[in-house]
């Protein structure tokens, strides 16, 4: 997953800053744990240096630099925005970026205690983000499809988890997935998506969501891929308030989102398992977050009528959305 031939050290980062951005070279540099495509360093109090360490990382950074300045001004939570660009050089052969620092602690290492506030914050953020995307918005090659096209990956994740790795009834997990597969597709124009909302990509301060980071996966598509965050991020019981405030998810979208939340939960569990084994790319803190999310997926009680029993009410019917999300 990473290029082992490039060792990224504080000395290297300082040398690059001195060469290309000397006015910032005197700021303190502190490595930030985590990261997958990029290795991150906290620069001073308000900046971050992101150093790509996979082949795909430079393209992801270029995408962020192109689109975050467009999206960030209308988003109600802080997000990282580009400040400077580092050019490839003899010291480091890839482009790199200096971004604004989003303060807080990643959710995979802490918890939310202000449930309603966090639900409101997440719903407000996604309402602002999920607007129709322009034709030139990026697409995604590995996510964004209807759940029915992801069943092979779902099955592989489920089979890869060690026996006893999840407490849930495997049949119950499959039932959630099968329901998502049976849900109608998204037929409206594609909207802007973060694309990779999970506990390591949001930060928490004072018990609530205070920022969203890592937009490298952003693309235009089905909002269900982001709405899975209702189960992945929020404490039990907060999903009902989230969907009521979000107010633009119909029955089919919520069903797809719930299935995708199960898929992403399994991925988090698997990465946690790999981290416990010391395998490359493993993230020990993701396992507990994934298991908690999967438990929320399985214990939510949506209880809506099927399309064959009753037509879907208008999107403006707030009572309908409240009923759809009851029990989340």
């Amino acid at each position: 997953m990473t290029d082992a031939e490039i060792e990224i050290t504080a000395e290297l980062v300082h040398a690059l800053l001195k060469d290309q951005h000397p006015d910032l070279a005197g700021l303190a540099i502190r490595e930030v744990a985590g990261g997958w495509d990029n290795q991150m360093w906290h620069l001073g109090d308000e900046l971050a240096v992101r150093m790509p360490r996979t082949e795909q990382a430079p393209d992801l950074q270029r995408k962020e630099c192109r689109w975050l300045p467009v999206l960030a001004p209308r988003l109600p939570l802080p997000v990282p925005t580009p400040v400077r660009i580092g050019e490839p050089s003899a010291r480091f052969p890839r482009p790199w970026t200096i971004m604004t620092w989003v303060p807080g602690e990643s959710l995979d290492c802490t918890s939310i205690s202000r449930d309603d506030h966090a639900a409101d914050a997440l719903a407000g953020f996604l309402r602002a983000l999920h607007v129709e995307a322009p034709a030139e918005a990026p697409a995604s090659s590995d996510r964004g499809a209807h759940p029915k096209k992801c069943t092979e990956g779902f099955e592989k994740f489920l089979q890869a988890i060690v026996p006893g790795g999840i407490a849930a009834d495997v049949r119950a997990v499959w039932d959630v997935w099968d329901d998502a597969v049976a849900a109608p597709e998204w037929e409206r124009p594609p909207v802007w998506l973060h694309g990779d909302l999970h506990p390591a990509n949001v930060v928490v301060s004072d018990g609530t969501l205070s920022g969203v980071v890592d937009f490298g996966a952003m693309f235009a598509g089905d909002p269900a891929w982001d709405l899975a965050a209702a189960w992945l991020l929020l404490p039990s019981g907060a999903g009902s308030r989230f969907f009521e405030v979000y107010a633009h998810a119909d029955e089919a979208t919520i069903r797809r989102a719930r299935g995708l939340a199960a898929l992403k939960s399994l991925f988090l569990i698997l990465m946690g398992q790999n981290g416990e084994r010391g395998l490359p790319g493993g993230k020990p803190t993701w396992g507990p977050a994934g298991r908690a999310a999967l438990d929320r997926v399985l214990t939510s009680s949506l209880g809506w009528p099927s399309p064959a029993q009753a037509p879907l009410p208008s999107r403006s019917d707030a009572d309908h959305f409240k009923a759809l999300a009851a029990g989340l």
Side-chain angles (χ1 to χ4, degrees), residues 11 45 69 71 162 171 216 286 297 313:
E11 290 75 20
D45 294 328
L71 299 176
V162 296
R171 182 63 260 170
W286 291 17
V297 168

Side-chain angles (χ1 to χ4, degrees), residues 80-153:
T81 53
V83 174
R84 307 276 184 90
I85 303 295
E87 299 295 335
S89 66
R91 292 185 187 275
F92 190 75
R94 294 172 176 162
W96 46 282
T97 57
I98 301 173
M99 312 284 282
T100 55
W101 174 259
V102 179
E105 187 175 6
S106 63
L107 183 55
D108 60 318
C109 297
T110 187
S111 61
I112 289 170
S113 57
R114 298 165 61 192
D115 299 12
D116 287 350
H117 191 282
D120 291 352
L122 181 62
F125 177 83
L126 292 181
R127 277 179 62 98
L129 177 63
H130 290 173
V131 299
E132 184 174 343
E136 65 271 24
S140 177
S141 61
D142 62 348
R143 64 195 80 196
H146 188 281
K148 64 187 177 184
K149 299 181 180 178
C150 305
T151 296
E152 182 178 353

Side-chain angles (χ1 to χ4, degrees), residues 63-74 79-82 218:
K63 180 166 58 172
E64 289 179 310
C65 290
R66 166 66 179 88
W67 291 107
L68 277 175
V70 176
L71 299 176
R74 60 180 171 80
V79 300
T81 53
M218 75 172 83

Side-chain angles (χ1 to χ4, degrees), residues 103-105 114 203-210:
E105 187 175 6
R114 298 165 61 192
V203 296
V204 171
S205 299
D206 299 323
T208 189
L209 290 177
S210 58

Side-chain angles (χ1 to χ4, degrees), residues 30-53:
R30 300 176 298 281
E31 185 174 4
V32 179
W36 203 329
D37 290 299
N38 300 286
Q39 187 168 338
M40 188 159 69
W41 300 79
H42 195 176
L43 179 64
D45 294 328
E46 298 180 352
L47 299 174
V49 179
R50 301 180 75 210
M51 305 292 294
R53 57 180 182 181

Side-chain angles (χ1 to χ4, degrees), residues 149-307:
K149 299 181 180 178
C150 305
T151 296
E152 182 178 353
F154 177 87
E155 186 170 7
K156 285 182 178 179
F157 288 162
L158 191 57
Q159 291 178 346
I161 295 172
V162 296
I166 58 175
D169 177 1
V170 173
R171 182 63 260 170
V173 179
W174 270 110
D175 286 345
V176 169
W177 183 253
D178 288 342
D179 184 64
V181 168
E185 298 195 29
W186 176 255
E187 295 182 346
R188 299 172 190 162
V191 300
W192 276 113
L193 303 175
H194 176 280
D196 197 21
L197 286 174
H198 61 71
N201 283 344
V202 297
V203 296
V204 171
S205 299
D206 299 323
T208 189
L209 290 177
S210 58
V212 179
V213 300
D214 197 349
F215 281 72
M218 75 172 83
F219 65 97
D222 177 0
W225 280 82
D226 275 357
L227 296 177
W231 293 269
L232 294 171
L233 305 180
L234 298 175
S236 296
S240 177
R241 185 181 180 103
F242 166 82
F243 279 108
E244 182 177 356
V245 174
Y246 180 80
H248 291 302
D250 59 20
E251 172 193 324
T253 301
I254 295 177
R255 290 168 61 194
R256 294 192 308 275
R258 188 184 182 202
L260 291 167
L263 172 72
K264 296 182 179 189
S265 297
L266 294 176
F267 177 73
L268 292 173
I269 294 169
L270 182 57
M271 290 300 99
Q273 173 183 295
N274 290 349
E276 293 165 2
R277 293 174 166 183
L279 298 177
K283 305 289 184 182
T285 59
W286 291 17
R291 285 187 285 272
L294 184 62
D295 183 63
R296 291 190 290 268
V297 168
L298 297 178
T299 56
S300 62
S301 177
L302 301 178
W304 53 66
S306 71

